[in-house]
Amino acid sequence: MGVAAGAAFGVALAVSSMMQPARAGGPLPYDGPAPPPNVSVAFLYNQFASASTFYTANGTKLGNTHIQTDVPVLRFVHTFSPIDGMPWGVQVIAPYVSFLGNQEVGGGSVSHQSGFAEPQLSAFLYPVNHPSQDETVVLAYFLSPPSGSYNPSIALNASTNNWVNNFEIGYMHKVFGQAKGKRLDLEVWADGYFYGNTNVQTGVHLKTDPAAQFIVYAPYYFHPQTDAYVGLVSAHPGPSIS
């Protein structure tokens, strides 16, 4: 099982187990607008995840599965003065993965170990930023060094113990309504992931193929003061590179 959630300007975490690669959940609709310049912001998020089905590497579905995690995420963002009118900044994201209770796959208990996942070091740039039209293009890069808690003898780990390079590009534009008010947006995102090898033990390494995905959102912001929205999402995995 691999679980991940990431955003060009949002939360990211990676949980790997059973020697399967972590995959991205993708950016969220409120990751498109450019943040104000010269600010520092600290966040604390919390995500709860539950899985009841497990798929092996060859696609076999295993029922009687029970995996639950609680993941607090610390995040720090700092933005700088725009470069030629382009907002930019850096951020650090540090997730802690806590497995809740007994973890089961296919009806059998599996060993698990809570701990910090790899931190994410990120930089982002908005080459297009037209607030009056609610239009932006954002480029983001995430680097995750293999510095999380990892135990090769444990089946479910909070960490992947490898280098992860994540490139993202997102485009957002207002379809109708008022910019920063009630409106319908169209967003298109592309994600690319390039992994290093995981050192399972001396002389044994796991290789993860690069992966990509494309996400299209059509969110309607009915309460712009809190960025509350309803809408449609279409997510498609891109080609996997061997």
Side-chain angles (χ1 to χ4, degrees):
M1 185 190 79
V3 180
F9 193 50
V11 187
L13 65 92
V15 181
S16 80
S17 61
M18 300 301 188
M19 300 185 297
Q20 295 298 312
R23 299 298 184 186
L28 297 173
Y30 46 74
D31 295 322
N38 299 312
V39 298
S40 296
V41 184
F43 299 88
L44 174 62
Y45 302 91
N46 195 82
Q47 175 175 320
F48 174 80
S50 178
S52 58
T53 302
F54 178 84
Y55 289 88
T56 64
N58 59 12
T60 302
K61 178 179 177 180
L62 300 178
N64 298 320
T65 293
H66 177 80
I67 298 175
Q68 288 187 331
T69 59
D70 182 66
V71 184
V73 182
L74 296 173
R75 175 183 167 210
F76 177 79
V77 180
H78 181 75
T79 59
F80 301 91
S81 297
I83 300 176
D84 292 332
M86 298 183 294
W88 71 290
V90 295
Q91 61 180 327
V92 178
I93 302 168
Y96 183 88
V97 181
S98 177
F99 290 97
L100 305 178
N102 185 40
Q103 310 299 303
E104 296 180 334
V105 173
S109 296
V110 293
S111 58
H112 53 280
Q113 176 176 285
S114 301
F116 276 99
E118 275 74 16
Q120 293 204 337
L121 313 177
S122 174
F124 55 88
L125 173 72
Y126 286 79
V128 176
N129 182 37
H130 301 144
S132 62
Q133 296 298 319
D134 203 34
E135 180 183 40
T136 60
V137 172
V138 56
L139 306 175
Y141 169 65
F142 294 92
L143 174 65
S144 296
S147 56
S149 57
Y150 180 79
N151 187 337
S153 64
I154 299 296
L156 292 174
N157 273 280
S159 166
T160 61
N161 195 41
N162 63 353
W163 289 91
V164 181
N165 294 273
N166 173 209
F167 298 88
E168 291 185 346
I169 179 171
Y171 171 75
M172 180 186 73
H173 192 276
K174 175 176 62 68
V175 178
F176 65 78
Q178 297 180 345
K180 309 307 177 185
K182 294 183 178 179
R183 66 194 186 279
L184 176 67
D185 280 352
L186 175 66
E187 297 190 21
V188 180
W189 293 87
D191 263 334
Y193 291 82
F194 299 87
Y195 304 89
N197 293 337
T198 299
N199 297 320
V200 178
Q201 61 189 48
T202 303
V204 179
H205 308 280
L206 297 179
K207 181 180 181 295
T208 303
D209 286 345
Q213 68 173 356
F214 300 93
I215 304 174
V216 178
Y217 287 111
Y220 177 73
Y221 292 88
F222 62 89
H223 194 262
Q225 293 85 348
T226 60
D227 276 344
Y229 66 89
V230 295
L232 301 176
V233 58
S234 176
H236 301 280
S240 180
I241 306 170
S242 299

